[in-house]
Amino acid sequence: MSKNIFLSVVFVLGISFLHLAQSKPSDYDTDMLSAAFHAEKRQALRDKMDPNSVAVVFANAERNRSNDVDYQYSQDPNFYYLCGYTEPNAVLIIFKDKQTIDSISTSEILYVQPRDPLAESWTGRRLGIDGAKKQLGIVNVYNNTDFHELKLDFGQFDKIYHSTFNNDVRDDANDAGDLFSLIKSFNERTEKVKNKKNAFSFNTAMSALREIKSTEEMTLLKKAIDITCDAHADLMRSLDSNTTEYQAQAMVEFGFKFNGSEYVGYPSIVGGGENSCVLHYITNRKKLHNPELLVVDAGAEYHGYTADVTRTLPLSGKFTKDQKAIYDIVLKAQNAGIKACKKGNNFRDPHSAAVEVIKKGLMELEVIKEPNEFMKYFFHGTSHYLGLDVHDAGTYGRLKAGSVITVEPGIYIPEGSPCDPKWWNIGIRIEDDVLITEGDPDVLSGKLVKTTEEIEKMMAEQGIFKKK
Ligand code: GLY
Ligand code: MN
Ligand code: MN
């Protein structure tokens, strides 16, 4: 008997005893987005769709880590936004106008993976058809394999909106309802009307919707940001010079998990010394030394919504004079960027405001000789939308009330840069999450300290991980 079959038998025997310890629904999260929220978003998409059109939206692919181990599943944000289903191998169809199929009149159909006691004994309970109807409030729900039999001529529509396909979806030969088969089926059935298919329009419509956050979304996003700020503060109180990047990462991520966040919203960037100058450094393996700076760019994800917050900390607990000089330019640039987060402004305005401060500051310190040389040391954008994705969907036009963007200027001076070596290996980024309102910007991560004085004061406190 192979190890897997043996384990299957053990698990199947095991689940017959599970009823002894049935949990209540209230033992699980009760603050998920509501079925009404998702229904409202489906209607909002319908309202944006062209006449006589259909949208076909697929769940995310499962991703393999190695051999028979997958990464933890993460739903496609558009799919999640439209229906709330968090499992793989599913497809959602939204019609602009009601269709009558097999004498059922409907404007939406959801295909989900079926209940399967053996599979569920390995990877957890599935919602199934009944669960999806009940929990997601969608009336017409079927098994994913039924998608192949759908009596619908896609040629009758003038436009077929659909998700973007990645080219790395694996075929499970034993599962006719896997994502591979669902996409194959869709492509075969739309082969003759390919010219009507449009992933770009789907993404455009979804970006416009997702850019403006509803009240329910803001509750979750604010929770993610609050958890993140508290965890960054705990790290500040605990960090000392005798540590490593991964220990600092552990200290901040502990706070995320302990306070209810399911995941990190993106791999935490915890880079000290030379690594503070690497924008998306995620190796996090270096020993840290005085007087290095540590860039900590880490955000908790809560029910799908992610924070994105960066603070830069001096290992010794005190910024050196030169570190502080650069830090204060970045802080001033960030404050100028935040001030430009006004409804009606161009999306690039916060960046332009930050750039002006950084140019001037680096010229004054003689780090650069010409203003435009600033690009050597600040070579990324200042803002992106934030929501279900860390780099969230949005229109990148004028700033609109109800959208959330980051403001995250930085200065990174790697070793060997054409300036006084005293500046080398100084990498600083400060990032906050800002809600655009009808009036002044609302800094959602504003409770987390960020001046050099405030950070030094907090680092002198006794944190939960600090060696006494
Ligand atoms: N955490 C990635 C970013 O700030 O864009
Ligand atoms: Mn960011
Ligand atoms: Mn970030």
Side-chain angles (χ1 to χ4, degrees):
M1 197 188 293
S2 82
K3 187 173 150 222
N4 277 359
I5 293 172
F6 171 74
L7 284 176
S8 303
V9 172
V10 171
F11 271 81
V12 170
L13 289 176
I15 55 172
S16 59
F17 296 103
L18 281 182
H19 68 277
L20 294 176
Q22 274 292 352
S23 299
K24 299 183 289 294
S26 58
D27 288 340
Y28 294 89
D29 292 303
T30 53
D31 58 343
M32 307 300 289
L33 292 172
S34 66
F37 167 88
H38 298 295
E40 186 189 304
K41 298 307 176 190
R42 288 195 295 281
Q43 187 54 44
L45 175 62
R46 218 173 264 124
D47 292 344
K48 281 194 176 294
M49 286 164 62
D50 286 352
N52 191 32
S53 64
V54 60
V56 185
V57 191
F58 291 87
N60 214 353
E62 294 170 282
R63 303 275 174 220
N64 182 252
R65 182 165 190 270
S66 176
N67 192 15
D68 59 352
V69 175
D70 285 348
Y71 287 103
Q72 189 154 15
Y73 186 69
S74 179
Q75 187 54 279
D76 173 80
N78 286 334
F79 188 88
Y80 179 67
Y81 187 84
L82 292 170
C83 70
Y85 187 66
T86 55
E87 299 174 30
N89 304 319
V91 53
L92 171 69
I93 305 181
I94 298 174
F95 300 112
K96 173 79 179 180
D97 311 299
K98 270 199 167 153
Q99 302 291 312
T100 302
I101 303 168
D102 269 347
S103 62
I104 293 169
S105 173
T106 183
S107 57
E108 53 199 25
I109 310 176
L110 176 65
Y111 293 90
V112 299
Q113 53 180 11
R115 298 293 308 273
D116 178 341
L118 180 58
E120 290 178 43
S121 72
W122 282 86
T123 50
R125 193 177 166 88
R126 293 179 176 186
L127 214 47
I129 293 175
D130 293 341
K133 284 182 181 176
K134 196 164 156 223
Q135 189 172 311
L136 310 178
I138 298 178
V139 176
N140 291 294
V141 184
Y142 303 98
N143 274 350
N144 48 18
T145 46
D146 291 342
F147 178 67
H148 308 306
E149 317 303 329
L150 171 66
K151 293 195 182 73
L152 182 72
D153 172 13
F154 282 97
Q156 72 180 280
F157 299 107
D158 292 329
K159 190 165 185 177
I160 305 168
Y161 296 83
H162 68 92
S163 320
T164 306
F165 301 127
N166 294 312
N167 61 3
D168 58 347
V169 178
R170 283 177 303 156
D171 182 14
D172 177 351
N174 297 316
D175 185 359
D178 69 351
L179 183 66
F180 185 93
S181 307
L182 297 174
I183 292 175
K184 185 161 171 270
S185 201
F186 173 65
N187 283 337
E188 282 168 4
R189 298 176 60 166
T190 51
E191 176 62 27
K192 290 207 179 79
V193 288
K194 263 203 274 209
N195 56 327
K196 296 181 176 181
K197 287 165 73 172
N198 201 320
F200 180 81
S201 294
F202 175 67
N203 287 329
T204 305
M206 291 306 299
S207 297
L209 294 180
R210 284 173 53 190
E211 178 175 338
I212 309 299
K213 269 63 184 176
S214 306
T215 313
E216 279 191 69
E217 294 179 279
M218 283 310 302
T219 302
L220 301 181
L221 185 51
K222 281 182 176 170
K223 174 114 183 177
I225 294 169
D226 267 1
I227 289 173
T228 299
C229 290
D230 290 346
H232 272 265
D234 281 342
L235 168 65
M236 285 185 201
R237 294 188 189 100
S238 287
L239 193 69
D240 62 33
S241 35
N242 181 23
T243 193
T244 62
E245 290 169 343
Y246 55 82
Q247 285 169 332
Q249 177 185 0
M251 292 180 213
V252 72
E253 289 184 5
F254 169 84
F256 295 175
K257 203 72 174 173
F258 193 77
N259 288 309
S261 127
E262 292 99 328
Y263 313 107
V264 286
Y266 52 91
S268 301
I269 297 161
V270 185
E274 74 238 35
N275 298 327
S276 66
C277 299
V278 182
L279 302 186
H280 283 178
Y281 170 83
I282 56 170
T283 317
N284 305 351
R285 297 304 303 174
K286 197 181 97 67
K287 283 201 182 76
L288 298 168
H289 304 286
N290 281 338
E292 287 173 344
L293 288 173
L294 182 68
V295 169
V296 183
D297 180 345
E301 183 180 300
Y302 189 76
H303 298 359
Y305 288 83
T306 184
D308 187 8
V309 173
T310 307
R311 290 294 182 266
T312 302
L313 312 175
L315 248 284
S316 67
K318 293 256 176 223
F319 290 88
T320 66
K321 183 168 147 279
D322 296 331
Q323 289 169 346
K324 181 172 161 52
I326 302 288
Y327 190 100
D328 284 342
I329 298 171
V330 178
L331 183 59
K332 198 169 167 199
Q334 202 222 16
N335 284 330
I338 290 172
K339 217 168 147 198
C341 290
K342 288 263 189 174
K343 177 185 161 182
N345 277 2
N346 198 290
F347 189 87
R348 295 279 294 179
D349 287 352
H351 180 68
S352 306
V355 160
E356 283 317 304
V357 175
I358 286 177
K359 272 184 187 172
K360 190 162 173 283
L362 290 179
M363 287 289 289
E364 279 169 9
L365 291 182
E366 296 179 7
V367 176
I368 57 176
K369 294 184 189 72
E370 296 294 331
N372 273 342
E373 283 176 35
F374 85 91
M375 279 185 265
K376 272 197 195 93
Y377 304 116
F378 175 34
F379 45 95
H380 59 79
T382 295
S383 301
H384 54 80
Y385 293 103
L386 188 67
L388 287 170
D389 275 308
V390 61
H391 297 163
D392 207 35
T395 57
Y396 288 88
R398 300 248 163 225
L399 292 174
K400 299 187 189 76
S403 68
V404 178
I405 68 171
T406 64
V407 182
E408 49 175 310
I411 295 176
Y412 316 89
I413 312 178
E415 189 163 339
S417 295
C419 58
D420 188 326
K422 72 179 185 174
W423 305 117
W424 290 359
N425 291 328
I426 292 182
I428 292 164
R429 176 161 67 252
I430 308 170
E431 176 171 28
D432 280 300
D433 304 337
V434 179
L435 172 67
I436 310 299
T437 73
E438 294 293 337
D440 289 335
D442 182 0
V443 183
L444 302 173
S445 47
K447 75 173 183 180
L448 183 60
V449 299
K450 64 179 169 184
T451 66
T452 55
E453 294 77 14
E454 288 167 338
I455 288 174
E456 289 174 358
K457 186 161 171 270
M458 189 163 267
M459 288 184 73
E461 293 173 18
Q462 180 63 46
I464 47 178
F465 297 109
K466 195 177 257 172
K467 295 152 206 130
K468 306 222 182 265

PDB file of all heavy atoms in Angstrom, residues 14 49 88 106 114 160 172 228 303 329 340 371 380 396 450:
ATOM      1  N   GLY A  14     -10.978   8.137  10.180  1.00  0.00           N
ATOM      2  CA  GLY A  14     -10.940   9.236  11.155  1.00  0.00           C
ATOM      3  C   GLY A  14     -12.149  10.142  11.060  1.00  0.00           C
ATOM      4  O   GLY A  14     -12.720  10.538  12.066  1.00  0.00           O
ATOM      5  N   MET A  49     -21.518  46.708 -18.484  1.00  0.00           N
ATOM      6  CA  MET A  49     -21.332  45.870 -19.674  1.00  0.00           C
ATOM      7  C   MET A  49     -22.110  46.426 -20.867  1.00  0.00           C
ATOM      8  O   MET A  49     -23.166  47.029 -20.702  1.00  0.00           O
ATOM      9  CB  MET A  49     -21.778  44.422 -19.365  1.00  0.00           C
ATOM     10  CG  MET A  49     -20.790  43.665 -18.474  1.00  0.00           C
ATOM     11  SD  MET A  49     -21.465  42.161 -17.701  1.00  0.00           S
ATOM     12  CE  MET A  49     -21.885  41.151 -19.109  1.00  0.00           C
ATOM     13  N   PRO A  88     -11.025  26.744  -5.538  1.00  0.00           N
ATOM     14  CA  PRO A  88     -10.602  26.720  -6.947  1.00  0.00           C
ATOM     15  C   PRO A  88     -11.618  26.016  -7.852  1.00  0.00           C
ATOM     16  O   PRO A  88     -12.675  25.556  -7.391  1.00  0.00           O
ATOM     17  CB  PRO A  88      -9.294  25.921  -6.893  1.00  0.00           C
ATOM     18  CG  PRO A  88      -9.450  25.027  -5.717  1.00  0.00           C
ATOM     19  CD  PRO A  88     -10.299  25.763  -4.722  1.00  0.00           C
ATOM     20  N   THR A 106     -32.418  33.335 -15.997  1.00  0.00           N
ATOM     21  CA  THR A 106     -31.415  33.760 -15.025  1.00  0.00           C
ATOM     22  C   THR A 106     -30.460  34.804 -15.603  1.00  0.00           C
ATOM     23  O   THR A 106     -30.258  34.863 -16.821  1.00  0.00           O
ATOM     24  CB  THR A 106     -30.580  32.558 -14.519  1.00  0.00           C
ATOM     25  OG1 THR A 106     -29.676  33.004 -13.531  1.00  0.00           O
ATOM     26  CG2 THR A 106     -29.797  31.900 -15.648  1.00  0.00           C
ATOM     27  N   PRO A 114     -17.622  20.090  -6.625  1.00  0.00           N
ATOM     28  CA  PRO A 114     -18.610  19.352  -5.838  1.00  0.00           C
ATOM     29  C   PRO A 114     -18.080  18.959  -4.462  1.00  0.00           C
ATOM     30  O   PRO A 114     -16.858  18.952  -4.238  1.00  0.00           O
ATOM     31  CB  PRO A 114     -18.866  18.100  -6.685  1.00  0.00           C
ATOM     32  CG  PRO A 114     -17.655  17.951  -7.537  1.00  0.00           C
ATOM     33  CD  PRO A 114     -17.072  19.317  -7.733  1.00  0.00           C
ATOM     34  N   ILE A 160     -18.065  39.213 -25.468  1.00  0.00           N
ATOM     35  CA  ILE A 160     -17.839  38.199 -24.421  1.00  0.00           C
ATOM     36  C   ILE A 160     -16.679  38.682 -23.539  1.00  0.00           C
ATOM     37  O   ILE A 160     -15.508  38.595 -23.912  1.00  0.00           O
ATOM     38  CB  ILE A 160     -17.500  36.819 -25.050  1.00  0.00           C
ATOM     39  CG1 ILE A 160     -18.601  36.408 -26.043  1.00  0.00           C
ATOM     40  CG2 ILE A 160     -17.306  35.769 -23.959  1.00  0.00           C
ATOM     41  CD1 ILE A 160     -18.213  35.221 -26.929  1.00  0.00           C
ATOM     42  N   ASP A 172      -5.354  18.461 -14.473  1.00  0.00           N
ATOM     43  CA  ASP A 172      -5.486  17.260 -13.654  1.00  0.00           C
ATOM     44  C   ASP A 172      -6.316  16.277 -14.483  1.00  0.00           C
ATOM     45  O   ASP A 172      -7.536  16.450 -14.620  1.00  0.00           O
ATOM     46  CB  ASP A 172      -6.185  17.614 -12.333  1.00  0.00           C
ATOM     47  CG  ASP A 172      -6.416  16.384 -11.457  1.00  0.00           C
ATOM     48  OD1 ASP A 172      -6.189  15.255 -11.945  1.00  0.00           O
ATOM     49  OD2 ASP A 172      -6.834  16.568 -10.289  1.00  0.00           O
ATOM     50  N   THR A 228      -1.666  45.798  11.045  1.00  0.00           N
ATOM     51  CA  THR A 228      -0.310  46.039  10.517  1.00  0.00           C
ATOM     52  C   THR A 228       0.425  47.092  11.346  1.00  0.00           C
ATOM     53  O   THR A 228       1.590  46.912  11.710  1.00  0.00           O
ATOM     54  CB  THR A 228      -0.409  46.468   9.034  1.00  0.00           C
ATOM     55  OG1 THR A 228      -1.017  45.401   8.312  1.00  0.00           O
ATOM     56  CG2 THR A 228       0.954  46.782   8.451  1.00  0.00           C
ATOM     57  N   HIS A 303      -9.205  38.993   5.447  1.00  0.00           N
ATOM     58  CA  HIS A 303     -10.334  38.608   4.580  1.00  0.00           C
ATOM     59  C   HIS A 303     -10.146  39.119   3.152  1.00  0.00           C
ATOM     60  O   HIS A 303     -11.080  39.633   2.520  1.00  0.00           O
ATOM     61  CB  HIS A 303     -11.657  39.121   5.149  1.00  0.00           C
ATOM     62  CG  HIS A 303     -12.001  38.553   6.502  1.00  0.00           C
ATOM     63  ND1 HIS A 303     -11.206  37.627   7.165  1.00  0.00           N
ATOM     64  CD2 HIS A 303     -13.059  38.779   7.319  1.00  0.00           C
ATOM     65  CE1 HIS A 303     -11.763  37.317   8.318  1.00  0.00           C
ATOM     66  NE2 HIS A 303     -12.882  37.993   8.443  1.00  0.00           N
ATOM     67  N   ILE A 329      14.534  63.938   4.555  1.00  0.00           N
ATOM     68  CA  ILE A 329      14.113  64.294   3.178  1.00  0.00           C
ATOM     69  C   ILE A 329      12.960  63.382   2.755  1.00  0.00           C
ATOM     70  O   ILE A 329      11.949  63.847   2.205  1.00  0.00           O
ATOM     71  CB  ILE A 329      15.287  64.125   2.180  1.00  0.00           C
ATOM     72  CG1 ILE A 329      16.441  65.058   2.523  1.00  0.00           C
ATOM     73  CG2 ILE A 329      14.800  64.387   0.746  1.00  0.00           C
ATOM     74  CD1 ILE A 329      17.700  64.784   1.695  1.00  0.00           C
ATOM     75  N   ALA A 340      -0.893  66.008  -1.420  1.00  0.00           N
ATOM     76  CA  ALA A 340      -1.415  66.037  -2.810  1.00  0.00           C
ATOM     77  C   ALA A 340      -2.470  64.956  -3.061  1.00  0.00           C
ATOM     78  O   ALA A 340      -2.968  64.826  -4.176  1.00  0.00           O
ATOM     79  CB  ALA A 340      -0.254  65.875  -3.792  1.00  0.00           C
ATOM     80  N   PRO A 371      19.720  68.298 -10.504  1.00  0.00           N
ATOM     81  CA  PRO A 371      18.439  67.829  -9.940  1.00  0.00           C
ATOM     82  C   PRO A 371      17.964  66.494 -10.510  1.00  0.00           C
ATOM     83  O   PRO A 371      17.492  65.627  -9.774  1.00  0.00           O
ATOM     84  CB  PRO A 371      17.467  68.964 -10.289  1.00  0.00           C
ATOM     85  CG  PRO A 371      18.331  70.167 -10.426  1.00  0.00           C
ATOM     86  CD  PRO A 371      19.662  69.713 -10.924  1.00  0.00           C
ATOM     87  N   HIS A 380      11.285  54.555  -8.310  1.00  0.00           N
ATOM     88  CA  HIS A 380       9.990  53.869  -8.401  1.00  0.00           C
ATOM     89  C   HIS A 380       8.889  54.907  -8.233  1.00  0.00           C
ATOM     90  O   HIS A 380       9.147  56.049  -7.833  1.00  0.00           O
ATOM     91  CB  HIS A 380       9.874  52.751  -7.351  1.00  0.00           C
ATOM     92  CG  HIS A 380      10.006  53.202  -5.927  1.00  0.00           C
ATOM     93  ND1 HIS A 380       8.993  53.805  -5.218  1.00  0.00           N
ATOM     94  CD2 HIS A 380      11.058  53.129  -5.062  1.00  0.00           C
ATOM     95  CE1 HIS A 380       9.389  54.068  -3.994  1.00  0.00           C
ATOM     96  NE2 HIS A 380      10.656  53.682  -3.863  1.00  0.00           N
ATOM     97  N   TYR A 396      -6.085  54.803 -12.547  1.00  0.00           N
ATOM     98  CA  TYR A 396      -4.878  55.637 -12.629  1.00  0.00           C
ATOM     99  C   TYR A 396      -5.136  56.944 -13.393  1.00  0.00           C
ATOM    100  O   TYR A 396      -4.276  57.424 -14.119  1.00  0.00           O
ATOM    101  CB  TYR A 396      -3.697  54.827 -13.215  1.00  0.00           C
ATOM    102  CG  TYR A 396      -3.195  53.801 -12.212  1.00  0.00           C
ATOM    103  CD1 TYR A 396      -3.759  52.535 -12.143  1.00  0.00           C
ATOM    104  CD2 TYR A 396      -2.195  54.119 -11.287  1.00  0.00           C
ATOM    105  CE1 TYR A 396      -3.345  51.608 -11.193  1.00  0.00           C
ATOM    106  CE2 TYR A 396      -1.763  53.202 -10.337  1.00  0.00           C
ATOM    107  CZ  TYR A 396      -2.356  51.945 -10.292  1.00  0.00           C
ATOM    108  OH  TYR A 396      -1.939  51.033  -9.350  1.00  0.00           O
ATOM    109  N   LYS A 450       6.330  57.858  12.860  1.00  0.00           N
ATOM    110  CA  LYS A 450       7.276  57.868  11.736  1.00  0.00           C
ATOM    111  C   LYS A 450       8.339  58.959  11.745  1.00  0.00           C
ATOM    112  O   LYS A 450       9.216  58.937  10.892  1.00  0.00           O
ATOM    113  CB  LYS A 450       6.524  57.890  10.418  1.00  0.00           C
ATOM    114  CG  LYS A 450       5.693  59.105  10.130  1.00  0.00           C
ATOM    115  CD  LYS A 450       5.031  58.965   8.755  1.00  0.00           C
ATOM    116  CE  LYS A 450       3.981  60.029   8.562  1.00  0.00           C
ATOM    117  NZ  LYS A 450       3.260  59.878   7.309  1.00  0.00           N
TER     118      LYS A 450
END
